[in-house]
Amino acid sequence: MSNFGNRILVVDDEERIRRLLKMYLEKEGYAIDEAEDGESALKLASNTDYALILLDVMLPGIDGIEVCSRLRQVKSTPVIMLTAKGEEMNRVQGFEVGADDYVVKPFSPREVIYRVKAILRRSSATAFLTKETNRSNNIVFPHLVIEHDAHRVTAGGQEISLTPKEYELLHYLAVSPDKVFSREELLKDVWNYEFFGDLRTVDTHVKRLREKLNKVSSEAASMITTVWGVGYKLEVPK
């Protein structure tokens, strides 16, 4: 399995769009692989550790939503979905299956570059290096440790692999333990989107986060508590 720290997979059935993205991303120093349908995208994405995937929703064969959904079962690679104007539902579905961000077509290449860099900044360990000592940025609970400088989460003594959004959600809750956050607050602060009622995105990510934690520590998983009718909190074991 190859590991490419600056390699991006661009998936779109329109050659014109692939060429445009490739040109702009290469200018920024990224290496680009291309796929024009869901099947080849899935194959490439499963066998290579890409830094990020730009994934069109409307693809021949397996569509982008399905590609992202299947990929999330095996990989935590950051995914930015490309959606056409007016495809609000697709955007919501994209977040539900684990996409980290989206860009609406027609897009400005500069906006894409900005979003790519923002996500890679968040998902790279060096993004969180500060002048403080490493220790001061760690959040330590009995069964869960979040090392913010290294962007590392350990549950029950085992490191777990999270997508950028899963990590942000967990970190956001962990910074204010025992505080209840509504789904609306989480959408606004973690996803930076006001979704007018599309709150399943939060539920799906919480569910996925719990499942990943549960694989190594049921105690860590049970810390993410549902407060019925309100939202979620990270509860510290007494």
Side-chain angles (χ1 to χ4, degrees):
M1 193 175 283
S2 332
N3 184 10
F4 298 101
N6 73 333
R7 189 169 285 273
I8 291 174
L9 177 62
V10 174
V11 188
D12 199 298
D13 58 337
E14 286 186 62
E15 195 192 349
R16 179 181 58 86
I17 288 176
R18 293 200 310 273
R19 203 184 299 139
L20 181 72
L21 288 169
K22 182 180 163 79
M23 184 176 79
Y24 275 87
L25 287 162
E26 282 182 343
K27 252 189 223 162
E28 297 292 324
Y30 299 107
I32 305 302
D33 285 350
E34 297 176 45
E36 58 184 350
D37 59 60
E39 211 151 324
S40 49
L42 208 47
K43 200 173 285 181
L44 280 166
S46 303
N47 295 327
T48 307
D49 289 330
Y50 287 104
L52 182 138
I53 297 169
L54 282 163
L55 179 61
D56 188 28
V57 169
M58 303 300 281
L59 290 169
I62 312 169
D63 69 8
I65 303 290
E66 182 64 20
V67 169
C68 190
S69 174
R70 290 196 205 174
L71 184 66
R72 278 290 167 261
Q73 292 163 23
V74 291
K75 287 267 179 112
S76 298
T77 315
V79 172
I80 298 179
M81 305 288 289
L82 306 173
T83 66
K85 248 197 174 106
E87 289 176 359
E88 297 290 304
M89 259 326 288
N90 285 341
R91 189 180 81 192
V92 174
Q93 284 176 311
F95 280 118
E96 283 180 3
V97 294
D100 296 285
D101 203 350
Y102 78 96
V103 175
V104 178
K105 293 176 176 180
F107 51 76
S108 105
R110 237 173 310 179
E111 186 199 355
V112 178
I113 299 294
Y114 168 79
R115 291 185 182 278
V116 165
K117 286 185 169 174
I119 283 195
L120 292 181
R121 244 197 331 271
R122 289 201 299 259
S123 61
S124 81
T126 52
F128 299 102
L129 292 174
T130 64
K131 288 181 181 134
E132 305 166 53
T133 62
N134 279 2
R135 195 168 293 279
S136 67
N137 254 1
N138 292 355
I139 300 175
V140 181
F141 299 114
H143 305 283
L144 181 71
V145 177
I146 301 170
E147 298 170 68
H148 200 39
D149 289 332
H151 205 217
R152 186 185 299 124
V153 175
T154 312
Q158 283 193 57
E159 194 175 331
I160 60 169
S161 172
L162 300 178
T163 69
K165 274 290 168 258
E166 289 162 357
Y167 176 84
E168 282 178 64
L169 175 60
L170 179 62
H171 185 262
Y172 187 84
L173 292 170
V175 166
S176 309
D178 294 320
K179 180 180 175 185
V180 181
F181 293 97
S182 70
R183 290 171 175 82
E184 287 86 353
E185 280 178 286
L186 291 170
L187 262 185
K188 192 165 170 288
D189 293 345
V190 178
W191 278 264
N192 304 314
Y193 289 110
E194 310 250 3
F195 260 149
F196 311 112
D198 291 314
L199 302 173
R200 290 169 305 178
T201 299
V202 178
D203 300 334
T204 310
H205 277 72
V206 167
K207 180 170 175 268
R208 199 177 288 122
L209 194 48
R210 278 189 184 133
E211 283 168 1
K212 285 187 175 182
L213 289 169
N214 200 39
K215 279 180 183 164
V216 293
S217 168
S218 56
E219 292 92 350
S222 64
M223 287 170 71
I224 301 174
T225 312
T226 303
V227 182
W228 296 108
V230 188
Y232 296 101
K233 68 173 177 173
L234 190 102
E235 196 170 68
V236 184
K238 297 289 178 281

